[in-house]
Amino acid sequence: MSDPTVRVGAIDCGTNSIRLLVADVDPATGALVDVRRRMEIVRLGHGVDRTGVIAPESMERTLAVTREYAAACRELGAVHVRFVATSASRDARNAADFIEGVRAAFVQHYGSEVSPEVVSGEEEAALSFAGATGGLAAQGVSGPYLVVDLGGGSTELVRGTDHVEAARSVDIGCVRMTERHLVSDPATDDEIAAATRDVDAALDVAESAVPIEGIATLVGLAGSVTTITAHLLGLTAYDPERVHLARSSPADMVAACDDLLAMPRAQRAALPYMHPGRVDVIGAGALVWRRVVERVVDRAGITEVVTSEHDILDGIALSAARRG
C-alpha cells in the first residue's frame, strides 16, 4: 500500500516573525509529523501602524529569510508549499512589492512560483483553529475551545469544538501595542492604563462576534503566549515540549504576565528562554494576554489555561496537503 502522507512546506509571515514548517501530513486524518521547524524575528511590520508602509530594511530582512526557506523546501523535498502573510502585509501600501519579492525568491531557490497569500483575518482564524485544536481531543482537552492567536499586529479569537463556530480578528498585537503605547522602559502606569483601555475596547468588539460564555478551554497560541508560559514554568532554556499543552491556573498565568510587564528590558533580555526579538514587545503581549485570560475567567469560569505550540503554521501545512 502506498504511503498516504505528503511532504509540504508551510510559511507563516507575520508582523514580528517569519516561520517555516516542513512536515509529512496525512490529508485524511490531519496527522502531521515535523521534518523541520524554524523561526526568525524579522519585524516586517515594524512602523507599519505609524507609516502605512513596510520599511525597506524590514522588507529586505524578511526576503533574505524567505530565500533561505525556499531553498529548504527544495532540499527537503516539499511537493506543495503555501506561504501565508498576515497583518503587516494586509495593512501596508507597498504590500505589492513584498509579494513580488517573495514570488521571485521561490522561483530562484525552490524552482517554481509560490505567491504569498494575504489572508483575511477570518481565514487566519480558521487556519489557527485547525492547527491548534487538531490533537486536543486526543489529549483529553475538551471543547468548546476559545483559541486565541496573539500576534504582532493583530489577535484572532476563534470559538469552536470540531470546526469554527465564530471568529474575529482585532488590531491588538504585541508590536502594535508597544509602538502605540508602551514606549518607556519599563512602561509607566499611564502607558499601561492607555494600552489596557485600547485592548479592552478591542476585546469588546471581538466578544460581540465571538461569545465567551460556555467555553470549556482557553487555548493560547504564538510567541507571546509561549514565552509567558515558559516564564510561568521557570524554564532554564526554551523547551517547546514542556510548553506544548502546558496547563496553567489563570492566577499563575496572570501573575506571569504582570511580572513580564513590570520588568525593564535588560532584565527580560537576561531570561534564559527569551528570544532576543521578543524582549521589547513581550510586555505588550503580556498585557493583552492578561486581559484575555481575566475576561474568559469572568465570563466562563475556566479553571485552567492551555498553551499550544501548534498554531496557524500547522493549519497552513494541513491546508497545503489537502489542496495538493
Side-chain angles (χ1 to χ4, degrees), residues 9 29 55 74 126 135 168:
T29 65
R74 186 193 70 239
R168 184 64 194 254

Side-chain angles (χ1 to χ4, degrees), residues 273-297:
Y273 41 79
M274 182 68 66
H275 190 289
R278 293 208 186 280
V279 169
D280 58 338
V281 297
I282 191 63
L287 188 152
V288 174
W289 188 228
R290 182 185 75 190
R291 298 307 288 164
V292 170
V293 171
E294 289 172 337
R295 185 174 288 235
V296 180
V297 169

Side-chain angles (χ1 to χ4, degrees), residues 136-146 160-161 214-219 247 304 306:
L136 288 183
Q139 297 288 331
V141 181
S142 58
Y145 309 111
L146 180 67
T161 301
I215 290 297
T217 306
L218 171 62
V219 185
R247 302 188 190 193
E304 67 176 13
V306 176

Side-chain angles (χ1 to χ4, degrees), residues 13-17 41-48 53-55 58-63 85-86 88-89 92 98:
C13 181
T15 303
N16 199 43
S17 63
I41 301 277
V42 289
R43 292 286 171 86
L44 180 66
H46 180 70
V48 169
V53 296
I54 299 168
S58 301
M59 192 176 302
E60 183 42 48
R61 271 197 307 271
T62 307
L63 292 176
T86 56
S89 311
F98 172 66

Side-chain angles (χ1 to χ4, degrees), residues 29-268:
T29 65
L32 185 152
V33 177
D34 289 10
V35 177
R36 182 176 297 173
R37 277 185 197 257
R38 190 175 153 195
M39 187 272 286
E40 299 290 339
I41 301 277
V42 289
R43 292 286 171 86
L44 180 66
H46 180 70
V48 169
D49 190 48
R50 186 183 71 255
T51 64
V53 296
I54 299 168
E57 59 275 18
S58 301
M59 192 176 302
E60 183 42 48
R61 271 197 307 271
T62 307
L63 292 176
V65 177
T66 298
R67 291 188 279 272
E68 294 175 18
Y69 286 4
C73 287
R74 186 193 70 239
E75 287 157 16
L76 296 170
V79 294
H80 305 295
V81 178
R82 189 175 185 200
F83 186 118
V84 170
T86 56
S87 179
S89 311
R90 275 201 301 268
D91 301 341
R93 289 196 302 274
N94 59 341
D97 296 339
F98 172 66
I99 289 168
E100 184 49 46
V102 171
R103 193 178 288 134
F106 272 88
V107 168
Q108 184 178 355
H109 297 280
Y110 176 61
S112 63
E113 192 171 286
V114 173
S115 291
E117 299 171 55
V118 182
V119 299
S120 67
E122 287 63 39
E123 187 177 0
E124 194 174 337
L127 289 167
S128 295
F129 185 84
T133 61
L136 288 183
Q139 297 288 331
V141 181
S142 58
Y145 309 111
L146 180 67
V147 173
V148 178
D149 186 344
L150 201 175
S154 62
T155 294
E156 284 67 53
L157 290 87
V158 196
R159 178 184 176 130
T161 301
D162 48 15
H163 66 278
V164 173
E165 295 164 10
R168 184 64 194 254
S169 177
V170 286
D171 285 340
I172 48 169
C174 60
V175 174
R176 200 183 292 264
M177 290 295 101
T178 301
E179 292 181 355
R180 197 176 281 177
H181 296 295
L182 304 185
V183 293
S184 301
D185 179 27
T188 66
D189 290 346
D190 285 349
E191 288 169 355
I192 291 168
T196 300
R197 285 193 296 273
D198 225 2
V199 169
D200 288 349
L203 292 177
D204 287 343
V205 170
E207 195 180 356
S208 69
V210 183
I212 295 176
E213 288 81 2
I215 290 297
T217 306
L218 171 62
V219 185
L221 315 181
S224 286
V225 177
T226 57
T227 302
I228 295 161
T229 303
H231 184 65
L232 185 160
L233 295 171
L235 299 185
T236 53
Y238 191 81
D239 182 349
E241 292 187 5
R242 291 276 310 277
V243 170
H244 184 51
L245 299 185
R247 302 188 190 193
S248 316
S249 76
D252 286 349
M253 189 62 81
V254 167
C257 289
D258 287 344
D259 205 22
L260 286 166
L261 178 57
M263 274 184 198
R265 287 171 192 156
Q267 191 179 346
R268 292 177 192 160

